[in-house]
Amino acid sequence: MSQITTHVLDAALGGPARGVRVVLTAADGAEIASGVTDEAGRISDLGPERLDAGTYRLTFATGDFFAATGRATFYPVVSIDFAVADSAQHYHVPLLLSPFAYSTYRGN
């Protein structure tokens, strides 16, 4: 399993957000990895097994996801910056999404 994982839930429909493209980048903007959420709305293999301590960003292509489902959205992209403090820990970054709101937290 990679050190960084994510799970995207579509709160408006009450289920997983399938087919959301996600990009993991370093603080300098360099792309580290990318993936697309599976049928369960998850990406369990996003990035390497270990990252150095530092700041990273997950960028979710929410506009493309909503367009594919025939819905408009106020947020065409959601970016979440987070800090890896311990390179030995696993970091799970979920996204709860609707067309006009989103929230996140550090999962496990």
Side-chain angles (χ1 to χ4, degrees):
M1 177 186 294
S2 68
Q3 185 176 14
I4 308 298
T5 58
T6 190
H7 187 196
V8 184
L9 295 171
D10 185 336
L13 296 181
R18 300 170 185 94
V20 178
R21 179 169 162 71
V22 182
V23 178
L24 172 65
T25 56
D28 64 2
E31 184 174 322
I32 297 170
S34 65
V36 176
T37 57
D38 63 16
E39 289 298 308
R42 296 180 180 275
I43 302 177
S44 59
D45 59 351
L46 185 62
E49 289 184 21
R50 292 285 178 255
L51 292 170
D52 293 332
T55 302
Y56 296 89
R57 173 177 289 161
L58 287 176
T59 303
F60 299 81
T62 53
D64 294 343
F65 166 73
F66 283 114
T69 63
R71 296 178 286 165
T73 183
F74 185 68
Y75 300 103
V77 174
V78 171
S79 295
I80 301 170
D81 293 352
F82 62 97
V84 170
D86 181 349
S87 62
Q89 287 189 11
H90 173 254
Y91 291 84
H92 184 64
V93 186
L95 177 64
L96 183 61
L97 184 62
S98 74
F100 301 102
Y102 66 89
S103 65
T104 187
Y105 57 95
R106 179 171 176 197
N108 52 15

